[in-house]
Amino acid sequence: FGDGDSTTGKKTEHTYYSGGEYNVVTNASKAGEQAVSRIKVSIREPEMTILATNRGKLVDILLENHSKFEINVGEFEIVKNEGGRQNTFIFPQDTIINSGKAVNIMGEISGLHVENQTEKITMRYPNGRFVAETVLEISTDVFAKIQSETIEASKNRKKKK
């Protein structure tokens, strides 16, 4: 893979942990025949921002790609810390954000929701390395309304039992 790592098998995958240009060499053989193929791969650090907004209790995430290249955020993580607990969303493989574009991850998809008036939200590479972060701050009146609705919904569930 050009970075000191190699693997064997009919199908392989590889993750690069730093930007750069790498020469990837594939060797194949079958019934005494051999073939070699080589390709140059460019890995760039993402130039992106992460923003968070809430819709009631749900947290929506907006990722903006500021680079001249598309970004594959497949298997990157969005991590939201909740009073010592972590709530994590992992992007599906081959999630692409085009150059100069943004993608909005709705709270219904990510499963992220409001627990505190101030929420720290971090984006990490698949290896856990930091990419970007944001802080979601919710006004006192909106947070009080969310808490009230949560308490009311909990009471209604108990009444139904």
Side-chain angles (χ1 to χ4, degrees):
F1 295 103
D3 65 350
D5 195 8
S6 64
T7 188
T8 60
K10 291 181 179 182
K11 181 180 178 183
T12 62
E13 293 182 10
H14 182 69
T15 300
Y16 290 94
Y17 293 104
S18 62
E21 286 193 358
Y22 302 93
N23 292 306
V24 178
V25 180
T26 303
N27 293 286
S29 62
K30 182 177 179 181
E33 298 284 327
Q34 291 189 335
V36 177
S37 179
R38 185 172 107 172
I39 188 170
K40 186 178 286 189
V41 176
S42 294
I43 305 297
R44 293 176 176 81
E45 296 290 327
E47 298 172 28
M48 57 191 315
T49 53
I50 178 173
L51 303 169
T53 58
N54 73 295
R55 286 180 298 116
K57 195 169 172 96
L58 295 172
V59 177
D60 298 335
I61 302 295
L62 180 72
L63 296 177
E64 297 176 314
N65 177 359
H66 301 287
S67 76
K68 297 184 287 183
F69 306 96
E70 68 181 23
I71 297 175
N72 184 345
V73 294
E75 300 180 15
F76 281 44
E77 299 177 335
I78 300 288
V79 179
K80 185 174 78 62
N81 292 310
E82 302 174 352
R85 297 178 315 197
Q86 283 190 348
N87 189 359
T88 302
F89 170 74
I90 300 174
F91 286 90
Q93 184 175 3
D94 296 324
T95 301
I96 307 294
I97 304 174
N98 290 323
S99 169
K101 301 295 181 183
V103 63
N104 193 18
I105 309 300
M106 306 302 284
E108 291 88 350
I109 294 170
S110 71
L112 300 176
H113 54 276
V114 172
E115 293 289 330
N116 301 299
Q117 196 165 347
T118 302
E119 302 276 3
K120 180 177 159 186
I121 300 170
T122 306
M123 184 171 191
R124 299 194 178 278
Y125 288 100
N127 67 355
R129 210 173 95 219
F130 174 85
V131 176
E133 76 179 9
T134 189
V135 175
L136 172 62
E137 293 189 27
I138 302 168
S139 66
T140 303
D141 57 331
V142 170
F143 187 68
K145 182 179 178 189
I146 291 169
Q147 286 183 312
S148 174
E149 289 170 356
T150 302
I151 292 168
E152 190 63 34
S154 178
K155 287 178 184 176
N156 288 338
R157 281 193 300 272
K158 287 179 182 177
K159 286 180 184 178
K160 289 181 182 179
K161 290 180 181 181

mmCIF file of all heavy atoms in Angstrom, residues 49-64 78 80 103-122 133-139 142-143 146:
data_model
loop_
_atom_site.group_PDB
_atom_site.id
_atom_site.type_symbol
_atom_site.label_atom_id
_atom_site.label_comp_id
_atom_site.label_asym_id
_atom_site.label_seq_id
_atom_site.Cartn_x
_atom_site.Cartn_y
_atom_site.Cartn_z
ATOM 1 N N THR A 49 -15.772 21.439 8.226
ATOM 2 C CA THR A 49 -16.304 21.908 9.499
ATOM 3 C C THR A 49 -17.509 21.055 9.853
ATOM 4 O O THR A 49 -18.157 20.467 8.989
ATOM 5 C CB THR A 49 -16.737 23.386 9.442
ATOM 6 O OG1 THR A 49 -17.638 23.567 8.350
ATOM 7 C CG2 THR A 49 -15.554 24.306 9.282
ATOM 8 N N ILE A 50 -17.785 21.015 11.131
ATOM 9 C CA ILE A 50 -18.947 20.296 11.637
ATOM 10 C C ILE A 50 -19.784 21.289 12.429
ATOM 11 O O ILE A 50 -19.254 22.050 13.242
ATOM 12 C CB ILE A 50 -18.522 19.081 12.495
ATOM 13 C CG1 ILE A 50 -19.740 18.351 13.057
ATOM 14 C CG2 ILE A 50 -17.549 19.478 13.570
ATOM 15 C CD1 ILE A 50 -19.392 17.048 13.770
ATOM 16 N N LEU A 51 -21.075 21.321 12.150
ATOM 17 C CA LEU A 51 -22.019 22.195 12.855
ATOM 18 C C LEU A 51 -23.145 21.332 13.405
ATOM 19 O O LEU A 51 -23.503 20.320 12.802
ATOM 20 C CB LEU A 51 -22.593 23.248 11.909
ATOM 21 C CG LEU A 51 -21.571 24.145 11.207
ATOM 22 C CD1 LEU A 51 -22.250 24.950 10.113
ATOM 23 C CD2 LEU A 51 -20.905 25.063 12.215
ATOM 24 N N ALA A 52 -23.698 21.735 14.520
ATOM 25 C CA ALA A 52 -24.798 20.990 15.128
ATOM 26 C C ALA A 52 -25.948 21.925 15.443
ATOM 27 O O ALA A 52 -25.736 23.057 15.876
ATOM 28 C CB ALA A 52 -24.323 20.292 16.397
ATOM 29 N N THR A 53 -27.159 21.463 15.181
ATOM 30 C CA THR A 53 -28.371 22.191 15.549
ATOM 31 C C THR A 53 -29.339 21.190 16.161
ATOM 32 O O THR A 53 -29.220 19.985 15.937
ATOM 33 C CB THR A 53 -29.046 22.858 14.333
ATOM 34 O OG1 THR A 53 -29.352 21.860 13.355
ATOM 35 C CG2 THR A 53 -28.147 23.913 13.714
ATOM 36 N N ASN A 54 -30.257 21.701 16.926
ATOM 37 C CA ASN A 54 -31.258 20.788 17.482
ATOM 38 C C ASN A 54 -32.636 21.115 16.933
ATOM 39 O O ASN A 54 -32.945 22.254 16.616
ATOM 40 C CB ASN A 54 -31.256 20.817 19.013
ATOM 41 C CG ASN A 54 -31.866 22.071 19.580
ATOM 42 O OD1 ASN A 54 -31.307 23.147 19.379
ATOM 43 N ND2 ASN A 54 -32.977 21.942 20.262
ATOM 44 N N ARG A 55 -33.426 20.060 16.782
ATOM 45 C CA ARG A 55 -34.860 20.154 16.476
ATOM 46 C C ARG A 55 -35.552 19.428 17.610
ATOM 47 O O ARG A 55 -35.645 18.214 17.620
ATOM 48 C CB ARG A 55 -35.198 19.462 15.145
ATOM 49 C CG ARG A 55 -34.759 20.208 13.921
ATOM 50 C CD ARG A 55 -35.127 19.472 12.636
ATOM 51 N NE ARG A 55 -34.464 18.175 12.569
ATOM 52 C CZ ARG A 55 -35.087 16.999 12.567
ATOM 53 N NH1 ARG A 55 -36.399 16.914 12.613
ATOM 54 N NH2 ARG A 55 -34.400 15.875 12.503
ATOM 55 N N GLY A 56 -35.965 20.210 18.603
ATOM 56 C CA GLY A 56 -36.478 19.569 19.810
ATOM 57 C C GLY A 56 -35.351 18.790 20.457
ATOM 58 O O GLY A 56 -34.257 19.307 20.649
ATOM 59 N N LYS A 57 -35.584 17.517 20.716
ATOM 60 C CA LYS A 57 -34.580 16.681 21.382
ATOM 61 C C LYS A 57 -33.551 16.100 20.405
ATOM 62 O O LYS A 57 -32.501 15.622 20.801
ATOM 63 C CB LYS A 57 -35.293 15.559 22.129
ATOM 64 C CG LYS A 57 -34.429 14.863 23.131
ATOM 65 C CD LYS A 57 -35.261 13.949 24.012
ATOM 66 C CE LYS A 57 -34.370 13.113 24.876
ATOM 67 N NZ LYS A 57 -34.177 13.642 26.190
ATOM 68 N N LEU A 58 -33.838 16.125 19.098
ATOM 69 C CA LEU A 58 -32.919 15.556 18.102
ATOM 70 C C LEU A 58 -31.792 16.516 17.754
ATOM 71 O O LEU A 58 -31.988 17.724 17.713
ATOM 72 C CB LEU A 58 -33.684 15.204 16.825
ATOM 73 C CG LEU A 58 -34.728 14.094 16.960
ATOM 74 C CD1 LEU A 58 -35.540 13.989 15.686
ATOM 75 C CD2 LEU A 58 -34.057 12.771 17.283
ATOM 76 N N VAL A 59 -30.600 15.961 17.487
ATOM 77 C CA VAL A 59 -29.443 16.754 17.093
ATOM 78 C C VAL A 59 -29.115 16.439 15.634
ATOM 79 O O VAL A 59 -28.856 15.284 15.285
ATOM 80 C CB VAL A 59 -28.210 16.446 17.979
ATOM 81 C CG1 VAL A 59 -26.998 17.223 17.496
ATOM 82 C CG2 VAL A 59 -28.510 16.763 19.432
ATOM 83 N N ASP A 60 -29.153 17.458 14.779
ATOM 84 C CA ASP A 60 -28.775 17.322 13.374
ATOM 85 C C ASP A 60 -27.334 17.789 13.213
ATOM 86 O O ASP A 60 -26.916 18.764 13.837
ATOM 87 C CB ASP A 60 -29.678 18.167 12.470
ATOM 88 C CG ASP A 60 -31.135 17.746 12.535
ATOM 89 O OD1 ASP A 60 -31.403 16.584 12.867
ATOM 90 O OD2 ASP A 60 -32.003 18.590 12.237
ATOM 91 N N ILE A 61 -26.577 17.103 12.358
ATOM 92 C CA ILE A 61 -25.170 17.415 12.120
ATOM 93 C C ILE A 61 -25.010 17.840 10.665
ATOM 94 O O ILE A 61 -25.462 17.153 9.754
ATOM 95 C CB ILE A 61 -24.272 16.190 12.388
ATOM 96 C CG1 ILE A 61 -24.433 15.681 13.819
ATOM 97 C CG2 ILE A 61 -22.814 16.493 12.059
ATOM 98 C CD1 ILE A 61 -23.966 16.628 14.882
ATOM 99 N N LEU A 62 -24.347 18.974 10.445
ATOM 100 C CA LEU A 62 -24.029 19.449 9.103
ATOM 101 C C LEU A 62 -22.521 19.376 8.922
ATOM 102 O O LEU A 62 -21.768 19.972 9.691
ATOM 103 C CB LEU A 62 -24.512 20.893 8.898
ATOM 104 C CG LEU A 62 -24.227 21.477 7.518
ATOM 105 C CD1 LEU A 62 -25.131 20.836 6.473
ATOM 106 C CD2 LEU A 62 -24.413 22.979 7.528
ATOM 107 N N LEU A 63 -22.072 18.613 7.913
ATOM 108 C CA LEU A 63 -20.651 18.519 7.576
ATOM 109 C C LEU A 63 -20.416 19.278 6.286
ATOM 110 O O LEU A 63 -21.078 19.021 5.281
ATOM 111 C CB LEU A 63 -20.233 17.059 7.380
ATOM 112 C CG LEU A 63 -20.336 16.156 8.584
ATOM 113 C CD1 LEU A 63 -19.967 14.740 8.200
ATOM 114 C CD2 LEU A 63 -19.432 16.657 9.694
ATOM 115 N N GLU A 64 -19.475 20.223 6.312
ATOM 116 C CA GLU A 64 -19.153 21.028 5.136
ATOM 117 C C GLU A 64 -17.741 20.695 4.663
ATOM 118 O O GLU A 64 -16.794 20.740 5.445
ATOM 119 C CB GLU A 64 -19.249 22.514 5.471
ATOM 120 C CG GLU A 64 -20.639 22.945 5.871
ATOM 121 C CD GLU A 64 -20.695 24.397 6.291
ATOM 122 O OE1 GLU A 64 -19.825 24.830 7.075
ATOM 123 O OE2 GLU A 64 -21.629 25.091 5.827
ATOM 124 N N ILE A 78 -18.984 10.275 14.586
ATOM 125 C CA ILE A 78 -19.445 11.471 15.278
ATOM 126 C C ILE A 78 -19.694 11.025 16.715
ATOM 127 O O ILE A 78 -20.456 10.093 16.966
ATOM 128 C CB ILE A 78 -20.754 12.035 14.673
ATOM 129 C CG1 ILE A 78 -20.573 12.416 13.212
ATOM 130 C CG2 ILE A 78 -21.265 13.207 15.509
ATOM 131 C CD1 ILE A 78 -19.741 13.640 12.969
ATOM 132 N N LYS A 80 -20.719 12.206 20.620
ATOM 133 C CA LYS A 80 -21.302 13.222 21.489
ATOM 134 C C LYS A 80 -21.193 12.715 22.915
ATOM 135 O O LYS A 80 -21.644 11.623 23.234
ATOM 136 C CB LYS A 80 -22.758 13.482 21.132
ATOM 137 C CG LYS A 80 -23.364 14.626 21.933
ATOM 138 C CD LYS A 80 -24.764 14.973 21.469
ATOM 139 C CE LYS A 80 -25.790 14.024 21.962
ATOM 140 N NZ LYS A 80 -25.944 13.940 23.402
ATOM 141 N N VAL A 103 -23.280 17.944 3.713
ATOM 142 C CA VAL A 103 -24.279 16.898 3.918
ATOM 143 C C VAL A 103 -24.867 17.093 5.314
ATOM 144 O O VAL A 103 -24.150 17.423 6.263
ATOM 145 C CB VAL A 103 -23.678 15.480 3.736
ATOM 146 C CG1 VAL A 103 -22.617 15.193 4.768
ATOM 147 C CG2 VAL A 103 -24.757 14.416 3.763
ATOM 148 N N ASN A 104 -26.181 16.938 5.413
ATOM 149 C CA ASN A 104 -26.882 17.091 6.683
ATOM 150 C C ASN A 104 -27.301 15.709 7.172
ATOM 151 O O ASN A 104 -28.028 15.005 6.481
ATOM 152 C CB ASN A 104 -28.106 17.998 6.504
ATOM 153 C CG ASN A 104 -28.694 18.449 7.818
ATOM 154 O OD1 ASN A 104 -28.043 18.380 8.859
ATOM 155 N ND2 ASN A 104 -29.920 18.911 7.782
ATOM 156 N N ILE A 105 -26.820 15.331 8.345
ATOM 157 C CA ILE A 105 -27.180 14.053 8.954
ATOM 158 C C ILE A 105 -28.268 14.342 9.990
ATOM 159 O O ILE A 105 -28.011 14.959 11.027
ATOM 160 C CB ILE A 105 -25.958 13.380 9.630
ATOM 161 C CG1 ILE A 105 -24.775 13.314 8.675
ATOM 162 C CG2 ILE A 105 -26.340 12.018 10.176
ATOM 163 C CD1 ILE A 105 -24.991 12.543 7.421
ATOM 164 N N MET A 106 -29.461 13.915 9.685
ATOM 165 C CA MET A 106 -30.610 14.184 10.553
ATOM 166 C C MET A 106 -30.524 13.343 11.832
ATOM 167 O O MET A 106 -30.011 12.230 11.823
ATOM 168 C CB MET A 106 -31.915 13.883 9.822
ATOM 169 C CG MET A 106 -32.050 14.613 8.482
ATOM 170 S SD MET A 106 -31.954 16.400 8.622
ATOM 171 C CE MET A 106 -33.561 16.753 9.280
ATOM 172 N N GLY A 107 -31.048 13.884 12.909
ATOM 173 C CA GLY A 107 -31.038 13.197 14.195
ATOM 174 C C GLY A 107 -31.736 11.848 14.164
ATOM 175 O O GLY A 107 -31.362 10.928 14.880
ATOM 176 N N GLU A 108 -32.755 11.702 13.285
ATOM 177 C CA GLU A 108 -33.455 10.421 13.169
ATOM 178 C C GLU A 108 -32.515 9.337 12.652
ATOM 179 O O GLU A 108 -32.681 8.160 12.954
ATOM 180 C CB GLU A 108 -34.653 10.533 12.203
ATOM 181 C CG GLU A 108 -35.795 11.380 12.709
ATOM 182 C CD GLU A 108 -35.649 12.870 12.373
ATOM 183 O OE1 GLU A 108 -34.579 13.294 11.904
ATOM 184 O OE2 GLU A 108 -36.625 13.600 12.584
ATOM 185 N N ILE A 109 -31.522 9.725 11.847
ATOM 186 C CA ILE A 109 -30.574 8.765 11.288
ATOM 187 C C ILE A 109 -29.411 8.532 12.240
ATOM 188 O O ILE A 109 -29.010 7.393 12.482
ATOM 189 C CB ILE A 109 -30.064 9.250 9.913
ATOM 190 C CG1 ILE A 109 -31.218 9.250 8.917
ATOM 191 C CG2 ILE A 109 -28.903 8.390 9.410
ATOM 192 C CD1 ILE A 109 -30.924 9.919 7.608
ATOM 193 N N SER A 110 -28.861 9.611 12.805
ATOM 194 C CA SER A 110 -27.672 9.485 13.665
ATOM 195 C C SER A 110 -27.999 8.932 15.045
ATOM 196 O O SER A 110 -27.131 8.355 15.697
ATOM 197 C CB SER A 110 -26.992 10.846 13.823
ATOM 198 O OG SER A 110 -27.781 11.701 14.635
ATOM 199 N N GLY A 111 -29.214 9.133 15.510
ATOM 200 C CA GLY A 111 -29.576 8.715 16.858
ATOM 201 C C GLY A 111 -29.072 9.665 17.932
ATOM 202 O O GLY A 111 -29.181 9.381 19.116
ATOM 203 N N LEU A 112 -28.514 10.820 17.522
ATOM 204 C CA LEU A 112 -28.009 11.789 18.493
ATOM 205 C C LEU A 112 -29.168 12.621 19.036
ATOM 206 O O LEU A 112 -30.042 13.034 18.282
ATOM 207 C CB LEU A 112 -26.970 12.704 17.844
ATOM 208 C CG LEU A 112 -25.729 12.013 17.272
ATOM 209 C CD1 LEU A 112 -24.846 13.027 16.571
ATOM 210 C CD2 LEU A 112 -24.963 11.273 18.348
ATOM 211 N N HIS A 113 -29.164 12.855 20.337
ATOM 212 C CA HIS A 113 -30.227 13.639 20.948
ATOM 213 C C HIS A 113 -29.677 14.490 22.095
ATOM 214 O O HIS A 113 -28.613 14.225 22.624
ATOM 215 C CB HIS A 113 -31.362 12.729 21.432
ATOM 216 C CG HIS A 113 -30.876 11.636 22.336
ATOM 217 N ND1 HIS A 113 -30.372 10.448 21.862
ATOM 218 C CD2 HIS A 113 -30.796 11.564 23.670
ATOM 219 C CE1 HIS A 113 -30.013 9.692 22.874
ATOM 220 N NE2 HIS A 113 -30.256 10.346 23.984
ATOM 221 N N VAL A 114 -30.432 15.503 22.453
ATOM 222 C CA VAL A 114 -30.037 16.475 23.473
ATOM 223 C C VAL A 114 -30.169 15.848 24.860
ATOM 224 O O VAL A 114 -31.198 15.275 25.199
ATOM 225 C CB VAL A 114 -30.922 17.741 23.379
ATOM 226 C CG1 VAL A 114 -30.660 18.660 24.551
ATOM 227 C CG2 VAL A 114 -30.700 18.444 22.062
ATOM 228 N N GLU A 115 -29.096 15.963 25.644
ATOM 229 C CA GLU A 115 -29.109 15.530 27.041
ATOM 230 C C GLU A 115 -28.779 16.680 27.976
ATOM 231 O O GLU A 115 -29.216 16.695 29.105
ATOM 232 C CB GLU A 115 -28.085 14.403 27.262
ATOM 233 C CG GLU A 115 -28.424 13.111 26.563
ATOM 234 C CD GLU A 115 -29.600 12.384 27.194
ATOM 235 O OE1 GLU A 115 -29.810 12.511 28.411
ATOM 236 O OE2 GLU A 115 -30.322 11.710 26.450
ATOM 237 N N ASN A 116 -27.971 17.629 27.500
ATOM 238 C CA ASN A 116 -27.492 18.731 28.322
ATOM 239 C C ASN A 116 -27.676 20.040 27.564
ATOM 240 O O ASN A 116 -27.812 20.044 26.345
ATOM 241 C CB ASN A 116 -26.009 18.539 28.665
ATOM 242 C CG ASN A 116 -25.767 17.248 29.404
ATOM 243 O OD1 ASN A 116 -26.290 17.039 30.486
ATOM 244 N ND2 ASN A 116 -25.003 16.366 28.793
ATOM 245 N N GLN A 117 -27.624 21.129 28.280
ATOM 246 C CA GLN A 117 -27.792 22.440 27.663
ATOM 247 C C GLN A 117 -26.615 22.770 26.747
ATOM 248 O O GLN A 117 -26.765 23.468 25.756
ATOM 249 C CB GLN A 117 -27.967 23.513 28.734
ATOM 250 C CG GLN A 117 -28.510 24.798 28.178
ATOM 251 C CD GLN A 117 -29.018 25.722 29.266
ATOM 252 O OE1 GLN A 117 -29.186 25.321 30.417
ATOM 253 N NE2 GLN A 117 -29.274 26.958 28.914
ATOM 254 N N THR A 118 -25.431 22.244 27.061
ATOM 255 C CA THR A 118 -24.247 22.416 26.215
ATOM 256 C C THR A 118 -23.720 21.029 25.856
ATOM 257 O O THR A 118 -23.467 20.221 26.751
ATOM 258 C CB THR A 118 -23.156 23.218 26.947
ATOM 259 O OG1 THR A 118 -23.690 24.488 27.318
ATOM 260 C CG2 THR A 118 -21.939 23.421 26.061
ATOM 261 N N GLU A 119 -23.587 20.749 24.560
ATOM 262 C CA GLU A 119 -23.141 19.437 24.081
ATOM 263 C C GLU A 119 -21.884 19.590 23.229
ATOM 264 O O GLU A 119 -21.859 20.375 22.283
ATOM 265 C CB GLU A 119 -24.229 18.780 23.211
ATOM 266 C CG GLU A 119 -25.558 18.587 23.891
ATOM 267 C CD GLU A 119 -25.630 17.325 24.729
ATOM 268 O OE1 GLU A 119 -24.618 16.598 24.842
ATOM 269 O OE2 GLU A 119 -26.706 17.066 25.273
ATOM 270 N N LYS A 120 -20.833 18.846 23.553
ATOM 271 C CA LYS A 120 -19.611 18.823 22.738
ATOM 272 C C LYS A 120 -19.732 17.659 21.755
ATOM 273 O O LYS A 120 -19.960 16.522 22.158
ATOM 274 C CB LYS A 120 -18.382 18.651 23.622
ATOM 275 C CG LYS A 120 -17.086 18.610 22.854
ATOM 276 C CD LYS A 120 -15.926 18.498 23.829
ATOM 277 C CE LYS A 120 -14.701 17.951 23.161
ATOM 278 N NZ LYS A 120 -13.627 17.716 24.116
ATOM 279 N N ILE A 121 -19.559 17.974 20.469
ATOM 280 C CA ILE A 121 -19.693 16.966 19.424
ATOM 281 C C ILE A 121 -18.387 16.931 18.633
ATOM 282 O O ILE A 121 -17.917 17.957 18.150
ATOM 283 C CB ILE A 121 -20.895 17.274 18.515
ATOM 284 C CG1 ILE A 121 -22.168 17.277 19.369
ATOM 285 C CG2 ILE A 121 -20.980 16.274 17.376
ATOM 286 C CD1 ILE A 121 -23.390 17.790 18.674
ATOM 287 N N THR A 122 -17.802 15.736 18.511
ATOM 288 C CA THR A 122 -16.489 15.561 17.893
ATOM 289 C C THR A 122 -16.593 14.606 16.716
ATOM 290 O O THR A 122 -17.312 13.613 16.785
ATOM 291 C CB THR A 122 -15.494 14.985 18.925
ATOM 292 O OG1 THR A 122 -15.495 15.818 20.082
ATOM 293 C CG2 THR A 122 -14.092 14.914 18.361
ATOM 294 N N GLU A 133 -14.482 19.496 15.723
ATOM 295 C CA GLU A 133 -15.493 19.462 16.779
ATOM 296 C C GLU A 133 -16.304 20.744 16.781
ATOM 297 O O GLU A 133 -15.918 21.752 16.184
ATOM 298 C CB GLU A 133 -14.876 19.205 18.151
ATOM 299 C CG GLU A 133 -14.171 20.367 18.771
ATOM 300 C CD GLU A 133 -13.609 20.026 20.151
ATOM 301 O OE1 GLU A 133 -13.615 18.851 20.557
ATOM 302 O OE2 GLU A 133 -13.146 20.955 20.826
ATOM 303 N N THR A 134 -17.435 20.665 17.438
ATOM 304 C CA THR A 134 -18.310 21.816 17.602
ATOM 305 C C THR A 134 -18.992 21.694 18.961
ATOM 306 O O THR A 134 -18.983 20.631 19.581
ATOM 307 C CB THR A 134 -19.349 21.893 16.465
ATOM 308 O OG1 THR A 134 -20.048 23.141 16.546
ATOM 309 C CG2 THR A 134 -20.356 20.762 16.536
ATOM 310 N N VAL A 135 -19.583 22.779 19.399
ATOM 311 C CA VAL A 135 -20.349 22.771 20.639
ATOM 312 C C VAL A 135 -21.766 23.235 20.316
ATOM 313 O O VAL A 135 -21.962 24.265 19.665
ATOM 314 C CB VAL A 135 -19.714 23.687 21.707
ATOM 315 C CG1 VAL A 135 -20.595 23.767 22.945
ATOM 316 C CG2 VAL A 135 -18.323 23.191 22.067
ATOM 317 N N LEU A 136 -22.732 22.452 20.731
ATOM 318 C CA LEU A 136 -24.141 22.796 20.568
ATOM 319 C C LEU A 136 -24.607 23.412 21.875
ATOM 320 O O LEU A 136 -24.569 22.769 22.923
ATOM 321 C CB LEU A 136 -24.966 21.548 20.249
ATOM 322 C CG LEU A 136 -26.481 21.694 20.221
ATOM 323 C CD1 LEU A 136 -26.905 22.677 19.126
ATOM 324 C CD2 LEU A 136 -27.153 20.354 20.007
ATOM 325 N N GLU A 137 -24.989 24.695 21.808
ATOM 326 C CA GLU A 137 -25.502 25.369 22.988
ATOM 327 C C GLU A 137 -26.979 25.654 22.779
ATOM 328 O O GLU A 137 -27.370 26.236 21.770
ATOM 329 C CB GLU A 137 -24.725 26.654 23.253
ATOM 330 C CG GLU A 137 -23.291 26.369 23.643
ATOM 331 C CD GLU A 137 -22.557 27.598 24.130
ATOM 332 O OE1 GLU A 137 -23.213 28.518 24.646
ATOM 333 O OE2 GLU A 137 -21.329 27.609 23.988
ATOM 334 N N ILE A 138 -27.783 25.245 23.738
ATOM 335 C CA ILE A 138 -29.231 25.385 23.644
ATOM 336 C C ILE A 138 -29.674 26.417 24.658
ATOM 337 O O ILE A 138 -29.267 26.377 25.822
ATOM 338 C CB ILE A 138 -29.920 24.031 23.904
ATOM 339 C CG1 ILE A 138 -29.391 23.005 22.892
ATOM 340 C CG2 ILE A 138 -31.420 24.148 23.833
ATOM 341 C CD1 ILE A 138 -29.760 21.597 23.204
ATOM 342 N N SER A 139 -30.512 27.347 24.215
ATOM 343 C CA SER A 139 -30.970 28.401 25.120
ATOM 344 C C SER A 139 -31.721 27.777 26.299
ATOM 345 O O SER A 139 -32.301 26.697 26.201
ATOM 346 C CB SER A 139 -31.865 29.396 24.382
ATOM 347 O OG SER A 139 -33.063 28.767 23.982
ATOM 348 N N VAL A 142 -35.473 26.917 25.621
ATOM 349 C CA VAL A 142 -35.655 25.759 24.740
ATOM 350 C C VAL A 142 -35.279 24.480 25.482
ATOM 351 O O VAL A 142 -35.989 23.470 25.399
ATOM 352 C CB VAL A 142 -34.819 25.904 23.437
ATOM 353 C CG1 VAL A 142 -34.807 24.618 22.638
ATOM 354 C CG2 VAL A 142 -35.356 27.056 22.602
ATOM 355 N N PHE A 143 -34.186 24.508 26.246
ATOM 356 C CA PHE A 143 -33.771 23.325 26.994
ATOM 357 C C PHE A 143 -34.825 22.959 28.039
ATOM 358 O O PHE A 143 -35.149 21.784 28.222
ATOM 359 C CB PHE A 143 -32.409 23.542 27.642
ATOM 360 C CG PHE A 143 -31.854 22.304 28.285
ATOM 361 C CD1 PHE A 143 -31.464 21.231 27.503
ATOM 362 C CD2 PHE A 143 -31.725 22.214 29.656
ATOM 363 C CE1 PHE A 143 -30.957 20.073 28.078
ATOM 364 C CE2 PHE A 143 -31.213 21.057 30.244
ATOM 365 C CZ PHE A 143 -30.830 19.993 29.456
ATOM 366 N N ILE A 146 -37.626 21.169 26.302
ATOM 367 C CA ILE A 146 -37.249 19.792 25.955
ATOM 368 C C ILE A 146 -37.349 18.898 27.183
ATOM 369 O O ILE A 146 -37.908 17.802 27.133
ATOM 370 C CB ILE A 146 -35.818 19.747 25.353
ATOM 371 C CG1 ILE A 146 -35.805 20.416 23.980
ATOM 372 C CG2 ILE A 146 -35.305 18.314 25.267
ATOM 373 C CD1 ILE A 146 -34.415 20.652 23.421
#
